[in-house]
Amino acid sequence: MSNPLTDPTSDPTSGSGSGSGSGSGKSSGVRAGSASGSPAGSPRTSPGVSPGGGDHLDISRRRLLGTVGAAGAAGLVIGAAGGAGIAAAVSEDGSAAGAAGPGALTSVGATQVAFHGRHQPGITTPLQSRGHLVAFDLAPGAGRKEAAALLRRWSATARTLMAGKAPAGDTGIALDAGPSSLTVTFGFGRTFFDRTGLASRRPSQLDPLPAFSSDAVDPKRSEGDLWVQIGADDALVAFHALRALQKDAGDAARVRWQMNGFNRSAGATARPTTARNLMGQVDGTNNPKPTDPDFDRRIFVPAGAAGAQEWMAGGSYAVVRRIRMLLDDWDQLSQEGQERVIGRRKADGAPLSGGSETTPLDLNKTGPDGKLLVPDNAHARISAPEQNGGAAMLRRPFSFHDGIGADGTPDAGLLFVCWQADPLRGFVPVQRKLDRGDALSKFVRHESSGLFAVPGGAPEGEYVGQRLLEA
Ligand code: HEM
């Protein structure tokens, strides 16, 4: 029998798999919740399955039980999402249940994220273990018509791939993989609007970011007419999507720059934890949470907001920075020194003012020597919303490592991606402050920069950006 999750020729949304009725064999994965500190929070969903649909979970549970059964494990945790936001199948002794039987996908491969929705996927989706960030410029002579056709093609391909299916003329790179939490997110850069004759509809939020004194930005690796973010929990699935979208670009657009990143893989930690970056810090703890009452207002453009472009309703602005970490210098610091740079403990991310990872920072607490426990130039202090008039953003980065640089040190760091309803009330004020007095500045270098308007999610029957390109 064809397995809709492993057979790219079968349609996982057509009900051709095992089971019947809504949310049965056609659903493909565990809809993971989000642990505190994860940049994620909105559950991963499956098309055609209503939120909270019990059937879906039951089927997933059966599928996973089959998987775990093959591994001989008795216990199972479903829907546990870590900082990396990954649903995990874990045996009673805490070890991952990895020996899937023939035809069975683990929750990693089976998890599917919905393409259609109020927001584009890849913003509140739990961090995936692989990512590609790619900017394209429209080809000379390509304008609004070609851009609209391209977004239509890209949306169709993204929808197909995110459902774990193969697009026409497929390369076969991910033939035997499930959707693997693939997300594809599309954005428009400032220059897109001039090239398409849409300058009057460019939001003021796309005005160039101010120059920051510590920037060492390479224009060739910055900005771009169009931006695509790909995330997946499998490297081949992510590359497959990258290839398909590049091929779709055809004569309409050319790659301007590409960056490849990664996060921790599912099952690598026994317990769900917030992600770590390449400096070894727990990173993502104090992200705004989707359960916060003001989350939507801070991260997404509201419909009908004064001065906003209506086509951006439900959208968000992404600031993208390739931040090189000067790891050789960083490693010279003692662990205590490293912890004072951030203001948090390295082992568990707890504030230096005490408590556990999720304890709020006490910025006024002093030690027996009368000195502030969270130093006055600590990164976590300077970037805290209360120090920046409430400015907040959702940080959703990937790490990168591109070998050894010309200077003989690792060309590694953070593909910093942050999301906000308005960069002037998110990234800009915080980076201004960090630029002036952050203890971390000595150990990082911003090497590229991009600002992109990421429209709201496409409703069924529409493509991403249609309300801009066809209105
Ligand atoms: C390679 C560069 C960076 C590294 C390694 C880094 C690392 C960290 C770490 C370890 C934390 C504490 C844990 C947490 O709350 O996530 C943190 C917090 C934070 N960082 Fe960064 N960060 C970097 C760049 C930036 C940049 C460029 C911005 C924005 C302009 C930023 C904004 C923030 C914010 C808003 C917080 C939360 C502060 C709070 O509310 O407590 N970070 N960062």
Side-chain angles (χ1 to χ4, degrees), residues 277 279 281-287 323 325 342 344 361 379-380 383-385 393 395 414 416 427 430-431 434 440 444 446:
N277 62 38
M279 286 175 153
Q281 302 142 356
V282 176
D283 193 348
T285 302
N286 246 357
N287 253 333
I323 308 182
M325 291 174 168
I342 296 295
R344 288 180 173 273
L361 290 159
H379 179 76
S383 56
M393 69 208 86
R395 292 165 287 131
L414 204 60
F416 179 89
F427 177 82
V430 177
Q431 181 56 24
L434 292 174
L440 188 62
V444 298
H446 290 231

Side-chain angles (χ1 to χ4, degrees), residues 352-445:
L352 293 184
S353 48
S356 65
E357 184 192 343
T358 51
T359 308
L361 290 159
D362 183 343
L363 295 177
N364 299 317
K365 194 164 174 186
T366 51
D369 57 2
K371 289 194 178 143
L372 287 168
L373 288 174
V374 177
D376 55 7
N377 61 353
H379 179 76
R381 171 189 290 277
I382 294 185
S383 56
E386 52 271 39
Q387 304 287 305
N388 296 289
M393 69 208 86
L394 179 68
R395 292 165 287 131
R396 192 179 183 279
F398 293 93
S399 292
F400 73 87
H401 179 217
D402 293 333
I404 299 296
D407 59 1
T409 68
D411 186 7
L414 204 60
L415 300 179
F416 179 89
V417 182
C418 73
W419 299 91
Q420 55 258 289
D422 181 352
L424 287 182
R425 287 187 286 120
F427 177 82
V428 171
V430 177
Q431 181 56 24
R432 270 210 180 104
K433 196 83 162 282
L434 292 174
D435 192 41
R436 286 198 297 265
D438 182 14
L440 188 62
S441 300
K442 256 176 79 179
F443 303 97
V444 298
R445 193 191 300 140

Side-chain angles (χ1 to χ4, degrees), residues 42-124:
S42 77
R44 299 180 194 201
T45 56
S46 296
V49 179
S50 61
D55 281 1
H56 174 89
L57 192 59
D58 285 350
I59 292 296
S60 299
R61 190 184 296 270
R62 279 203 297 279
R63 188 186 305 285
L64 286 170
L65 281 170
T67 302
V68 173
L76 183 66
V77 177
I78 291 182
I86 292 158
V90 179
S91 64
E92 262 176 354
D93 65 3
S95 62
L105 290 176
T106 68
S107 59
V108 174
T111 302
Q112 182 177 330
V113 183
F115 173 73
H116 294 291
R118 207 163 87 74
H119 311 303
Q120 287 196 58
I123 302 174
T124 57

Side-chain angles (χ1 to χ4, degrees), residues 21 33 84 87 105 108 115 126 128 145 152 174 209 267 284 299-300 312 347 369 377 398 437 449 452:
L105 290 176
V108 174
F115 173 73
Q128 297 105 327
K145 193 167 131 253
R152 186 186 288 279
L209 297 174
I299 309 305
F300 296 111
M312 270 299 285
D369 57 2
N377 61 353
F398 293 93
S449 178
F452 302 97

